[in-house]
Amino acid sequence: MAIGNLVPMLTGNQVAPEADLERERRVAAQAGLVVTGADPLNCETPPPALGGEVTPTARFYRRNHFPIPLLDGVAWRLRVGGLVERPLSLSLHELTQLPAESTVVTLECAGNGRAQFQPPTAGVQWGVGAVGTAEWTGARLADVLARAGIRPGAREVIFGGADCGRADGAEGAIRFERSLAVDDAVQAGALLAYGMNGEPLPARYGYPLRLVVPGWYAVASVKWLTDIRVVEEPFDGFFQASHYVYEWNRGGVTATEPVRLQQVRALITRPGSGQDLACGALNVRGVAWSGAAPIERVDVSVAGGPWQEARLLGVATAHGWQQWEFLATGLSPGPVSIRARATDLAGQIQPEQPEWNRLGYAANFIHEIQLHLH
Ligand SMILES: Nc1nc2c(c(=O)[nH]1)N[C@H]1C(S)=C(S)[C@@H](COP(=O)(O)O)O[C@H]1N2
Ligand SMILES: [Mo]
């Protein structure tokens, strides 16, 4: 049976046509995104295109495990079942009638930065641009769960996407599914988002509905959400238990832990690496974020010099990145490297060398750009 035919069986929804891959590639290229995987399409945002409080939707990175399903927002329903008092089947219209919340949230792929790990790790070889910030609008997950009523004994909440296919190391066709512990599902401030940057959520970002879990690596933010199941047993799905898990080798012993919060990281967005610029005062700009706590400070080092504190810009949002700037002076002609390092209010500092792990997650290396001054 073709994989496409499995979709309705797996999701209980209608067969979803797939987005045209050629067109998706063209649209991404036109927006200046860098392709890191052609099929399914994966692409990242060059740092100079990231800056600002939010990332324009067209330039927001894309991380897909399967073809993009084109769902019919009229026929679509969100089903909430399992260990609940009142199973629900909600239309998009009904979801928009619930109290709406708009929150600026930074999403970052757990594999962002992976290409820097030595020795190399398997998986999409992301540079540093598998990250973006958007204003997401939706209903609160906690409200929908309260409406369904979680029954005693419930342990996890599984979120099912409408996309499915084959994955290396998995048997047969599987869906994209992820779970959260009940407490996280209720307390993380997660949204069931139908809006992105003031527009309806586009198909490639999860239309008609995606989960957005602030502060967590974006694998938690399931796109094309069709069902929510409250369960008693720990969920052992492929994307929960076999992937998106740190696997460290500590003193010959393997330690594992599922990825959760985004690790602290700063990026220099301007100037772009490789630029040839006139000598003189140089305005360096960037963004910084951490899933654990707001950013406390960002430090910049020019040409291997001491760390100097950058200025934090604008109003800090609870879950969106912090913009910053730094004025570099006294520069001389020739090549120069500039580095930026973030520290969060939980006391975490970006490490020189993030701990290598088999699948290459949380590669929050200190960002460095190279310039040539004349
Ligand atoms: N249904 C579904 N949801 C998904 C994924 C997916 O492949 N399918 N990828 C996850 C991962 S690993 C990331 S990093 C983000 C990417 O979101 P974006 O494509 O909107 O940037 O979506 C997450 N949600
Ligand atoms: Mo990801």
Side-chain angles (χ1 to χ4, degrees):
M1 189 188 294
I3 286 168
N5 295 335
L6 283 169
V7 176
M9 283 171 44
L10 292 167
T11 66
N13 271 298
Q14 294 295 308
V15 180
E18 292 168 3
D20 181 69
L21 192 53
E22 272 312 315
R23 181 168 183 279
E24 286 300 309
R25 283 188 200 140
R26 231 175 17 247
V27 170
Q30 276 162 6
L33 300 185
V34 176
V35 172
T36 50
D39 186 7
L41 181 64
N42 284 300
C43 44
E44 66 179 296
T45 316
L50 280 175
E53 190 192 345
V54 296
T55 311
T57 303
R59 293 194 228 139
F60 204 92
Y61 82 99
R62 297 160 202 178
R63 176 38 175 145
N64 299 305
H65 292 80
F66 303 121
I68 295 174
L70 299 174
L71 302 182
D72 171 355
V74 176
W76 174 93
R77 294 289 181 277
L78 174 67
R79 302 211 161 80
V80 185
L83 273 182
V84 295
E85 308 288 353
R86 297 165 292 275
L88 306 173
S89 171
L90 299 167
S91 68
L92 188 54
H93 179 73
E94 286 168 315
L95 281 159
T96 61
Q97 298 305 298
L98 297 175
E101 193 172 294
S102 288
T103 317
V104 174
V105 174
T106 296
L107 291 187
E108 183 188 22
C109 182
N112 196 28
R114 176 183 288 135
Q116 289 177 75
F117 269 132
Q118 283 304 332
T121 57
V124 178
Q125 295 300 299
W126 297 107
V128 294
V131 62
T133 299
E135 184 191 51
W136 307 95
T137 301
R140 288 185 287 260
L141 173 63
D143 289 354
V144 170
L145 291 176
R147 182 178 270 218
I150 293 178
R151 294 215 318 244
R155 183 153 166 182
E156 294 197 3
V157 183
I158 305 174
F159 301 88
D163 51 334
C164 85
R166 294 182 192 279
D168 280 350
E171 246 174 67
I174 55 167
R175 298 174 62 186
F176 188 87
E177 292 178 303
R178 287 276 307 176
S179 74
L180 291 173
V182 167
D183 285 352
D184 290 327
V186 173
Q187 291 160 21
L191 286 184
L192 295 169
Y194 43 74
M196 180 179 186
N197 290 336
E199 306 272 337
L201 187 65
R204 60 178 71 94
Y205 297 107
Y207 178 85
L209 195 75
R210 87 177 292 170
L211 185 63
V212 172
V213 189
W216 286 57
Y217 276 123
V219 66
S221 295
V222 178
K223 300 187 275 188
W224 311 294
L225 190 62
T226 57
D227 51 85
I228 297 178
R229 280 159 20 238
V230 181
V231 296
E232 208 168 4
E233 296 301 318
F235 178 58
D236 66 353
F238 181 77
F239 298 104
Q240 190 76 32
S242 305
H243 276 68
Y244 297 96
V245 173
Y246 298 111
E247 218 180 286
W248 297 292
N249 188 316
R250 290 173 173 163
V253 179
T254 303
T256 63
E257 196 181 302
V259 306
R260 285 171 57 94
L261 301 181
Q262 297 161 11
Q263 296 298 305
V264 63
R265 187 194 302 251
L267 287 184
I268 298 168
T269 56
R270 278 176 198 252
S273 195
Q275 278 191 286
D276 200 324
L277 296 168
C279 241
L282 189 66
N283 185 240
V284 182
R285 279 187 172 251
V287 292
W289 66 92
S290 165
I295 291 299
E296 184 193 8
R297 57 186 288 153
V298 173
D299 294 284
V300 175
S301 162
V302 179
W307 289 110
Q308 291 175 271
E309 196 165 352
R311 194 158 73 89
L312 304 185
L313 301 173
V315 190
T317 58
H319 304 294
W321 56 31
Q322 170 73 56
Q323 298 182 77
W324 56 267
E325 73 173 355
F326 179 80
L327 195 68
T329 52
L331 300 162
S332 37
V336 63
S337 69
I338 300 180
R339 310 178 79 206
R341 180 186 77 177
T343 304
D344 70 17
L345 281 167
Q348 303 185 84
I349 305 185
Q350 243 180 294
E352 283 289 341
Q353 191 62 52
E355 189 175 3
W356 189 93
N357 57 97
R358 192 176 65 87
L359 297 172
Y361 298 122
N364 61 336
F365 289 86
I366 293 171
H367 191 210
E368 177 169 337
I369 62 162
Q370 310 292 338
L371 299 174
H372 194 276
L373 302 178
H374 61 260

